[in-house]
Amino acid sequence: MRDASDEVALDGQDALLSALRAAALRGGLDAAGGTARAIRAVGALMTDADDARRAACLRTLRYVCATPACWASVHGAGLDTLVSRALQRGGQPTEERVQALKLVRAALRADCGACADAFASALVRVARDGADALRLPALESLRDFAARHAEAAAAQGTLLVLVDAIVPAHAPDAPTPRACADALNGATPGAARAAPDGDDDGAIVEPVVLTLLLLLDLPSTRAHARPALTLARLSAPLLALHAEGSTGRSERAARVMALMLRSWTGLILLAASGVLSSVIGALAGAGDDGLRLLIDLVAPCLLLRELSLIHISEPTRRTP
């Protein structure tokens, strides 16, 4: 048990963290190496056994670090490793993990230098854990990181994680063309952000697709996005439609394809890579439901709203 002297020491540590946050907000840590000393003081408390105190340290570090030199001091003190471990500790949204996520997001939006590798790796591990309560915020942070630093994101495997999040690569699926068409009819540009029942990742489909289109559009980032592999992964479920079964992956793939066909970048890349012709061939050979899905995909990009309302029925036999 703690005695009175321990309580006084703990109160002093909390007061120190509060004072550092207040000084950082006032800009009073910039002179005479005050920021570096503050980072060392916070680092000394980062290994405390108290979860609340570690969370306070992470919050203080986010306030203090405002320049590339600050992040260099964080990396030099090894605090980037401690922050990464805090983010990956457990799968629940504890205060410590939330503060670690806020710190990592702020760091990746800035020029955090050598800290970016550890922070991005931690986000990738969280994003790959389907049971983690912070998976969606981690995916959103990775999306923002990829849009700002495409080369670093590609080196960390961030883009593959994002592609796998919107169209899972290993989910067992035998979708029906009719179910995909029905799902697509509700996935208008305004409604694409709404996730279907039980589809928690559906809300990030449109932001991730728009980010991928941005990276594929710019010559400086196109090579990092690996267009051939990305387009093949996104369209694979539509090339394996069956007569009956579950629909999760292919509903996602249909939404992704519809979003890409509504942009010049997506339309040109899909046509130039041969993916569009492969999808058209697969859907055209999937019967009336496949043809319906094909029309629902193609009509919006051709501005032919009437085509999507056409009812495809079985041809009637003529009697002699």
Side-chain angles (χ1 to χ4, degrees):
M1 295 181 61
R2 295 171 176 168
D3 56 20
S5 59
D6 293 333
E7 295 297 337
V8 171
L10 292 178
D11 291 342
Q13 293 170 356
D14 292 337
L16 172 63
L17 294 174
S18 298
L20 290 176
R21 288 195 296 270
L25 289 175
R26 293 194 306 268
L29 295 176
D30 299 332
T35 302
R37 291 197 299 271
I39 292 173
R40 288 195 297 269
V42 172
L45 301 177
M46 283 283 290
T47 56
D48 195 280
D50 188 358
D51 296 347
R53 181 154 293 104
R54 293 198 303 269
C57 290
L58 293 167
R59 183 166 57 251
T60 303
L61 204 58
R62 176 162 54 91
Y63 282 37
V64 169
C65 294
T67 64
C70 297
W71 295 112
S73 299
V74 169
H75 178 69
L79 299 186
D80 52 343
T81 302
L82 296 179
V83 173
S84 301
R85 290 177 179 176
L87 179 58
Q88 300 173 65
R89 185 173 290 119
Q92 300 303 316
T94 61
E95 178 64 18
E96 180 186 10
R97 296 191 71 209
V98 170
Q99 291 299 328
L101 178 62
K102 289 181 178 181
L103 175 61
V104 167
R105 293 183 67 169
L108 293 179
R109 287 177 177 176
D111 185 9
C112 62
C115 293
D117 292 339
F119 292 165
S121 297
L123 284 175
V124 166
R125 293 188 182 95
V126 173
R128 283 177 172 168
D129 186 356
D132 198 306
L134 294 182
R135 181 170 185 265
L136 289 182
L139 285 170
E140 174 59 25
S141 299
L142 289 176
R143 185 201 63 78
D144 186 67
F145 176 54
R148 296 171 184 269
H149 308 285
E151 184 175 0
Q156 292 291 338
T158 295
L159 298 179
L160 292 178
V161 174
L162 293 174
V163 171
D164 192 58
I166 58 176
V167 180
H170 304 295
D173 189 52
T176 64
R178 181 181 294 276
C180 293
D182 293 342
L184 185 61
N185 287 333
T188 59
R193 292 184 176 88
D197 293 340
D199 186 10
D200 293 336
D201 291 352
I204 66 168
V205 170
E206 183 173 341
V208 170
V209 171
L210 294 179
T211 299
L212 291 175
L213 288 174
L214 173 65
L215 298 179
L216 292 170
D217 183 48
L218 299 176
S220 59
T221 58
R222 188 175 301 142
H224 304 304
R226 305 174 69 181
L229 177 60
T230 299
L231 295 177
R233 289 276 296 274
L234 293 176
S235 62
L238 293 178
L239 302 179
L241 291 171
H242 300 286
E244 55 185 346
S246 60
T247 61
R249 278 182 77 216
S250 290
E251 288 182 10
R252 291 274 198 89
R255 293 174 61 193
V256 170
M257 190 65 59
L259 289 169
M260 296 191 72
L261 288 175
R262 290 189 179 101
S263 72
W264 280 111
T265 300
L267 184 59
I268 292 173
L269 288 175
L270 288 171
S273 63
V275 171
L276 184 58
S277 60
S278 298
V279 171
I280 291 175
L283 296 180
D288 291 343
D289 291 334
L291 188 57
R292 182 194 302 276
L293 175 58
L294 178 58
I295 290 176
D296 288 337
L297 285 173
V298 175
C301 69
L302 298 178
L303 300 179
L304 300 176
R305 299 179 183 274
E306 292 79 6
L307 277 179
S308 62
L309 301 178
I310 292 178
H311 176 69
I312 301 175
S313 59
E314 295 184 2
T316 58
R317 295 182 180 180
R318 294 183 179 178
T319 57

